[in-house]
Amino acid sequence: MGLAKRIIPCLDVDDGRVVKGVQFVDIRDAGDPVEIARRYDEQGADELTFLDITASHEDRDTMVHVVEEVAGQVFIPLTVGGGIRTVDDIRTMLNAGADKVAINTAAVHNPEFVKQAAEKFGSQCIVVAIDAKRVSADGEVERWEIFTHGGRKPTGIDAIDWARKMVAYGAGEILLTSMDRDGTRIGFDLALTRAISEAVTVPVIASGGVGELQHLVEGVQQGHADAVLAASIFHFGEHSIEEAKRHMAAAGIEMRL
Amino acid sequence: MATVAVIDYGMGNLHSVAKALESVGENVRVVVSGEPAEILKADRVVLPGVGAIRDCVGEIRRLGLDEVILRVAADRPLLGVCVGMQLLMDHSEENDGVDCLGVFPGEVRSFTHMPQPESGEKLKIPHMGWNQVQQTDTHALWHDIPQDARFYFVHSYYVEPAAPALIAGTSVYPVAFTSALARDNVFAVQFHPEKSQHAGLQLYTNFLHWTV
């Protein structure tokens, strides 16, 4: 009896449409974020994360409407990330109904922004998204660094140091993505997940690489993640959230069923 | 038509509390307001809250809402949510110590004082996610909510009431703490019913039907 581990489906939204392909058999409009959010809520998702990958600034209003629409119908926590650069961006998303915002690139360019955001809105709604890539060679002591621009641009910042710094600056949660594993479907980078989870006092969400249900179990049991995030295994209808939760519970993990 | 007021003192997101009440409230008008007169006209009142407690108390006093909350606490159904629950206590140790509204006798304490879990894993703070609530009495607000149902929590401080009789629910992180309080016409919860799906909406339904 106690706190459950969380499953968080992630929706990449481009100009108001969910991309990366979502195929539910009985949803006619496969790319509608509101409909997909409702479906995941019904299946027992513990939270939802929306990543706005819209390129142009004008189209960001679309994301605000999506969040408003979802928040009026789905009563579980909502996180919005992608393009959160200013205090006004955060206020806009929270007013639209988001519970948390994920700050990524803006934190790397200006760490003080995280401090300002946490002071203004409270740590409970500030998630810092960390995109990390392994930089150590085989046989060396494992090291990871922060990369920006979808994993293309190195920053030279050590991932563990960065996670600690972001928590000291007021991050209430870390969304940790392995850029080596993202999209590979071979499982989380468990050593990275564990290293970060043990280095910080706030909850850590593991992301990047989930291809089967057992990967979710490993993320919690071996990676010590507090929550696991996945996209494609749910979007393509291979597995429902409910199935994933039952699988994790059967492995001895405390879940909300 | 009955009215429920959600107290707006400029701190954080009241949208979801209002939306949740609207979604379950038939024949209920939901008003989000920081106007003392408007709040005092309402039949029942929700006091939400997120963020740092010193700022919350400061804004409440500045807007003259402390007197309003005390009046409401004396004569009609009042529901405190998250920091809104903590505000109802005597005092919080957050922000180097802050005097609160004193509706419930007791203290607000930090999870950093809690023992570490026996599993050897580090106690993550904030306490964030879905935890079980053990109902310690048969209160009207627990109607149709299963014992040990899970609710969504996100907080770094918890309440420690001065009298055990005030406790309506407890949760474990990593040892038991008070997650619901009740006395007469006042109920307060540490979790977020508006983010707790079916169980949370049921609690708001119960609140709207609660006759004291």
Side-chain angles (χ1 to χ4, degrees):
Chain A
M1 162 148 182
L3 186 66
K5 302 295 180 185
R6 291 169 278 153
I7 290 193
I8 308 174
C10 179
L11 310 180
D12 286 3
V13 180
D14 185 1
D15 196 17
R17 308 286 297 171
V18 176
V19 294
K20 262 195 188 173
V22 177
Q23 299 172 349
F24 288 128
V25 274
D26 50 349
I27 286 186
R28 244 178 309 163
D29 185 2
D32 177 26
V34 180
E35 207 161 338
I36 293 163
R38 274 168 46 181
R39 169 59 56 100
Y40 286 148
D41 173 52
E42 280 164 21
Q43 290 181 357
D46 295 310
E47 295 187 18
L48 294 173
T49 291
F50 296 91
L51 287 183
D52 188 1
I53 58 167
T54 306
S56 73
H57 199 76
E58 306 82 72
D59 292 337
R60 291 198 179 278
D61 287 347
T62 316
M63 192 65 195
V64 175
H65 297 309
V66 167
V67 174
E68 278 173 351
E69 189 79 0
V70 172
Q73 305 176 37
V74 169
F75 297 102
I76 57 174
L78 308 176
T79 301
V80 180
I84 303 288
R85 295 190 182 89
T86 65
V87 163
D88 279 342
D89 291 338
I90 298 176
R91 188 181 291 114
T92 302
M93 285 306 175
L94 296 181
N95 285 341
D99 300 286
K100 313 181 209 177
V101 292
I103 304 172
N104 189 345
T105 313
V108 179
H109 291 323
N110 176 21
E112 291 293 323
F113 174 48
V114 172
K115 209 180 252 180
Q116 284 167 15
E119 276 167 15
K120 185 100 198 152
F121 303 103
S123 292
Q124 82 289 334
C125 65
I126 305 300
V127 182
V128 170
I130 295 180
D131 292 345
K133 212 166 169 174
R134 195 177 284 255
V135 292
S136 51
D138 286 348
E140 282 179 5
V141 175
E142 289 173 311
R143 274 192 70 247
W144 299 267
E145 281 181 8
I146 303 304
F147 279 68
T148 58
H149 297 79
R152 293 191 305 277
K153 206 171 159 191
T155 64
I157 303 168
D158 180 80
I160 294 172
D161 291 346
W162 179 245
R164 284 204 182 103
K165 179 171 173 175
M166 287 297 96
V167 172
Y169 277 35
E173 196 173 29
I174 299 287
L175 168 54
L176 174 66
T177 304
S178 161
M179 300 312 287
D180 301 303
R181 296 299 176 92
D182 202 31
T184 63
R185 301 172 66 87
I186 58 168
F188 295 119
D189 184 335
L190 296 172
L192 167 68
T193 307
R194 188 165 180 155
I196 300 287
S197 188
E198 287 178 351
V200 299
T201 51
V202 302
V204 172
I205 306 165
S207 157
V210 175
E212 53 183 85
L213 298 183
Q214 191 56 25
H215 292 152
L216 303 173
V217 172
E218 292 166 2
V220 170
Q221 290 183 335
Q222 294 169 45
H224 292 185
D226 301 282
V228 285
L229 180 137
S232 56
I233 61 160
F234 300 128
H235 293 345
F236 289 102
E238 289 162 54
H239 300 286
S240 69
I241 308 277
E242 195 183 358
E243 207 185 331
K245 292 176 96 171
R246 295 209 178 277
H247 183 86
M248 292 174 77
I253 298 170
E254 184 143 9
M255 303 298 295
R256 176 179 72 109
L257 293 172
Chain B
M1 192 189 268
T3 302
V4 55
V6 179
I7 300 183
D8 181 6
Y9 48 96
M11 296 288 298
N13 168 24
L14 308 173
H15 171 103
S16 51
V17 175
K19 285 280 178 200
L21 288 164
E22 278 164 10
S23 82
V24 300
E26 288 167 33
N27 301 316
V28 175
R29 197 166 67 94
V30 180
V31 292
V32 177
S33 176
E35 286 295 319
E38 193 157 19
I39 295 163
L40 288 168
K41 270 191 284 183
D43 301 289
R44 40 193 91 230
V45 174
V46 178
L47 175 62
V50 293
I53 200 149
R54 180 180 296 282
D55 297 342
C56 290
V57 172
E59 281 307 287
I60 282 173
R61 296 227 158 95
R62 190 178 68 79
L63 296 166
L65 293 172
D66 45 345
E67 292 302 319
V68 173
I69 293 164
L70 294 178
R71 276 179 65 184
V72 166
D75 69 1
R76 74 199 79 179
L78 170 65
L79 177 64
V81 173
C82 195
V83 176
M85 175 200 218
Q86 298 176 3
L87 286 167
L88 297 176
M89 307 307 288
D90 284 329
H91 183 264
S92 171
E93 67 176 17
E94 190 181 348
N95 305 136
D96 300 320
V98 175
D99 284 333
C100 302
L101 302 176
V103 171
F104 289 115
E107 284 284 314
V108 184
R109 310 239 313 141
S110 167
F111 271 114
T112 54
H113 303 305
M114 287 286 195
Q116 288 296 313
E118 284 171 18
S119 66
E121 281 188 46
K122 192 183 291 188
L123 186 73
K124 295 296 180 79
I125 301 171
H127 170 229
M128 186 187 285
W130 298 80
N131 204 336
Q132 290 170 297
V133 175
Q134 189 188 15
Q135 301 160 19
T136 54
D137 71 2
T138 52
H139 198 280
L141 265 74
W142 296 135
H143 177 70
D144 272 354
I145 297 173
Q147 184 62 286
D148 297 328
R150 289 188 185 275
F151 290 88
Y152 188 83
F153 289 80
V154 50
H155 61 126
S156 301
Y157 294 81
Y158 63 96
V159 304
E160 224 171 55
L166 299 170
I167 300 171
T170 60
S171 301
V172 173
Y173 193 68
V175 296
F177 71 93
T178 300
S179 50
L181 289 170
R183 190 185 60 204
D184 305 326
N185 55 304
V186 186
F187 199 85
V189 293
Q190 183 60 68
F191 48 82
H192 289 272
E194 68 281 2
K195 290 291 150 186
S196 299
Q197 222 200 12
H198 304 306
L201 295 179
Q202 182 63 45
L203 192 135
Y204 278 142
T205 304
N206 295 343
F207 177 66
L208 295 177
H209 290 118
W210 186 22
T211 48
V212 183

